[in-house]
Amino acid sequence: MCQTQPVPNPIAYFMHRSPWWFHQFETLFNHFIELVVPFFIFLGRRMCIVHGVLQILFQVLLIISGNLSFLNWLTIVPSIACFDDLSLGFLFSSRRGGVKERVVQMQARQAAGEKPPLGYGRCIRQVVNISFGLLIAYLSLPVVLNLLSSRQVMNTSFNPLRIVNTYGAFGSITKERTEVILQGTSSPDPNDPAAVWEEYDFKCKPGDLKRRPCFISPYHYRLDWLMWFAAFQTYEQNEWIIHLAGKLLAQEEETLSLMATNPFEGRAPPRWIRGEHFKYKFSRPGGTHAGEGKWWIRKRIGAYFPPVNLQGLKKFYEDRSWPYPVRD
């Protein structure tokens, strides 16, 4: 997955080229963490803490090996609940009247059988908590049935409140990486063999073969991720990419701020923009391509979408009630 993840980082480059036995160990460790370790929660205090440590360690390894946005950082949060006050005590001051002393006093009163007075506010809070719990359980029924179904649906809401949903970051993992490269030309004829096509680079996604993969986690470049999804679909399934091409043709500043480079900066806007489809793979460390400073090797698959110009996109925009981009 290191090579085919949405936005690889430099460590993913080396992990992808690790020995075969390391990848087998990764797979085994992954299955152990996800299928066995969760049951540690029910095996007492110590095993619950072990569960928390292993889950956090697993997420940290994922964070190091790729730019998977904030997903892994959020996954760490529930694991903190595996640690009790005693195991987290070292994080708090031991000074008199501090948090640690107050917690110890509360625990002592509970051990002695003392119960806090059942005030009006506490009763309301308990009613709200129980009611909310029952609501979540009721709304979760279709989610659980979907989970058990042979035709499982991902990223779907089953009620208008959208409180409980199905979520899946990656329904399947691709074995090859493809990229859509946007190119522009000032040539009046896009079919002219002499036309010079210049590439737009995105903030982080692969493009320039010699550009080092970036570190951005937990930050999230949404446009780069969308380009990754678009690469294994068609532009008909991702009409927004034609919308993007129109904005680049108009050289809209807001759109260009999402890009790493604008090959037409300080010049007239491009007359045509096209999408080219390439297959990308990591170069081999110490190999010929790496020696030339290339992190990536690519091979053209074909055209992703044909050359388009601003005038030709006018009806496309009107049919979809999109604001027509105007050049400054």
Side-chain angles (χ1 to χ4, degrees), residues 2 6 21 36-37 42-44 50 93 100 112 144 163 169 171 176 210 221 228 255 286 296 310 312 317 327:
C2 291
W21 57 264
V36 178
V37 171
F42 308 105
L43 300 180
V50 171
S93 171
K100 186 181 292 188
V144 174
I163 296 176
E176 293 183 334
K210 292 186 177 182
Y221 287 124
W228 176 74
T255 302
W296 296 95
L310 203 52
Y317 272 71
R327 287 175 173 170

Side-chain angles (χ1 to χ4, degrees), residues 180 182 227 230 234-235 238-246 304-305:
V180 177
L182 300 183
M227 290 296 292
T234 65
Y235 76 88
N238 298 272
E239 293 184 341
W240 61 265
I241 201 168
I242 306 299
H243 188 266
L244 172 64
Y304 185 78
F305 65 83

Side-chain angles (χ1 to χ4, degrees), residues 109-236:
R109 288 196 296 268
Q110 288 180 352
E114 295 183 21
K115 293 184 178 180
L118 192 62
Y120 180 71
R122 189 175 175 218
C123 289
I124 293 178
R125 188 166 61 250
Q126 287 183 343
V127 171
V128 170
N129 289 342
I130 294 173
S131 301
F132 189 69
L134 292 174
L135 174 64
I136 294 297
Y138 173 74
L139 294 177
S140 296
L141 290 176
V143 178
V144 174
L145 293 175
N146 175 74
L147 181 66
L148 300 176
S149 172
S150 59
R151 297 183 178 180
Q152 187 180 134
V153 181
M154 295 176 60
N155 302 320
T156 302
S157 178
F158 292 90
N159 61 82
L161 298 176
R162 297 182 180 274
I163 296 176
V164 178
N165 316 287
T166 60
Y167 173 74
F170 308 104
S172 60
I173 304 299
T174 54
K175 295 182 179 180
E176 293 183 334
R177 181 181 198 92
T178 57
E179 291 288 346
V180 177
I181 304 297
L182 300 183
Q183 301 174 338
T185 183
S186 298
S187 173
D189 182 6
N191 298 315
D192 184 354
V196 178
W197 291 92
E198 301 177 74
E199 296 184 4
Y200 289 87
D201 276 326
F202 288 74
K203 299 273 189 183
C204 198
K205 90 172 190 71
D208 182 357
L209 303 181
K210 292 186 177 182
R211 188 176 67 170
R212 178 182 65 83
C214 63
F215 276 112
I216 56 169
S217 179
Y219 194 70
H220 179 49
Y221 287 124
R222 181 163 176 77
L223 180 58
D224 292 48
W225 273 56
L226 289 174
M227 290 296 292
W228 176 74
F229 281 108
F232 47 82
Q233 297 175 329
T234 65
Y235 76 88
E236 290 91 349

Side-chain angles (χ1 to χ4, degrees), residues 272-302:
W272 300 87
I273 281 184
R274 69 182 183 184
E276 290 288 279
H277 209 187
F278 289 88
K279 183 185 296 183
Y280 270 65
K281 67 177 182 179
F282 279 134
S283 62
R284 186 172 297 279
T288 303
H289 295 92
E292 297 173 353
K294 295 179 179 178
W295 291 80
W296 296 95
I297 303 170
R298 77 181 185 185
K299 181 180 180 181
R300 185 177 183 273
I301 299 173

Side-chain angles (χ1 to χ4, degrees), residues 242-243 245-247 249-250 271-272 307-326:
I242 306 299
H243 188 266
K247 289 179 175 291
L249 284 164
R271 294 186 178 183
W272 300 87
V308 295
N309 63 8
L310 203 52
Q311 183 61 34
L313 289 177
K314 189 170 184 178
K315 189 175 186 307
F316 184 86
Y317 272 71
E318 291 175 349
D319 290 345
R320 290 155 182 79
S321 300
W322 292 345
Y324 184 65
V326 179

